[in-house]
Amino acid sequence: MTPDLFADSCAPWQEAVCEGAVVLRRYALAQDRSLLAAVDSVTAAAPFRHMLTPGGYRMSVAMTNCGPLGWVSDESGYRYDACDPVSGRPWPAMPTVFAELATAAATAAGFPDFMPDACLINRYEPGARLSLHQDRNERDFRQPIVSLSLGLPAVFLFGGLRRSEPARRIPLEHGDVVVWGGPARLRYHGVLALKEGAHPLLGRRRLNLTFRKAG
Ligand code: MD6
Ligand code: FE
């Protein structure tokens, strides 16, 4: 017996959230360093920036993208764009380690053949939050969303199909992957203000990567 086989890294496990949504706990843990190196290569070409909401407010979460399409927000609204509005150039290519993780996680959650064309990278520092919203700028709502959390823990709010419905609170930690689609695809969700802390790899930050088939 090797009782300390998982002493430093726990094996992944699945938690159903509701019909269509599952948390793959620690699913990405074994690849965290290569994922973070890939984030650094993306942000070297397309640095994090604070976008404006359609109402003109600066978002507390800093964002960037990779892949053929990137999610952007400004005073004219939310949309996907092939070019980074800061540089005028196409978004950096999606690193292979990202695309493979997203496809494997979707398959594990029951959504085979998921081929993301957009990866939004969100950076939270203490105090940053994301208010309740629906993800509905994508073309095909039959496609799931794969969401990877790295760094400091956060509380994910998982509501219903109307903004007024109460939201569950789901803690998300380093390496956790959420896959949601089907009947959960248009549920309202958000992230509570990030608490102070220090993560061994990421310091005072949380990163969230959301993979989508947008086009
Ligand atoms: C975040 N995530 O976790 C923000 N959207 O930082 C999202 O807004 C999100 O995690 C759709 C599906 C999964 C998500
Ligand atoms: Fe979202």
Side-chain angles (χ1 to χ4, degrees):
M1 284 293 284
T2 51
D4 58 350
L5 191 58
F6 296 113
D8 304 321
S9 64
C10 343
W13 70 96
Q14 295 200 10
E15 283 174 29
V17 176
C18 68
E19 205 190 335
V22 63
V23 187
L24 310 177
R25 294 285 180 196
R26 317 295 183 263
Y27 187 80
L29 200 57
Q31 294 159 87
D32 59 356
R33 287 170 195 273
S34 53
L35 291 162
L36 290 171
V39 170
D40 287 344
S41 70
V42 169
T43 59
F48 285 113
R49 77 292 306 268
H50 293 271
M51 298 185 191
L52 292 182
T53 67
Y57 293 98
R58 175 186 186 267
M59 297 181 77
S60 60
V61 179
M63 300 178 174
T64 188
N65 292 276
C66 61
L69 292 172
W71 186 87
V72 293
S73 177
D74 61 22
E75 281 171 295
S76 68
Y78 309 125
R79 65 186 174 280
Y80 283 94
D81 202 311
C83 288
D84 177 349
V86 172
S87 68
R89 294 194 307 263
W91 295 104
M94 194 178 311
T96 307
V97 63
F98 286 8
E100 287 179 355
L101 176 94
T103 300
T107 302
F111 297 97
D113 306 315
F114 176 59
M115 301 287 282
D117 59 10
C119 172
L120 170 66
I121 307 178
N122 293 317
R123 185 191 69 197
Y124 295 73
E125 288 174 344
R129 58 186 284 275
L130 197 63
S131 53
L132 278 184
H133 66 277
Q134 289 175 300
D135 288 20
R136 55 177 184 198
N137 294 107
E138 301 76 28
R139 199 160 274 162
D140 181 0
F141 295 146
R142 292 170 304 184
Q143 295 283 336
I145 297 177
V146 173
S147 167
L148 163 66
S149 294
L150 293 168
L152 287 179
V155 177
F156 194 67
L157 292 174
F158 194 78
L161 294 173
R162 284 173 305 201
R163 189 188 294 277
S164 57
E165 288 176 50
R168 285 174 57 183
R169 294 173 173 223
I170 300 172
L172 293 180
E173 292 185 30
H174 181 74
D176 289 351
V177 175
V178 183
V179 181
W180 70 5
R185 181 63 180 71
L186 289 173
R187 281 181 177 250
Y188 277 88
H189 58 280
V191 179
L192 290 184
L194 196 75
K195 287 207 178 128
E196 263 306 339
H199 185 271
L201 291 180
L202 274 155
R204 294 173 74 246
R205 288 178 297 162
R206 169 181 185 254
L207 297 179
N208 169 259
L209 280 63
T210 50
F211 298 93
R212 303 179 170 97
K213 175 85 179 78

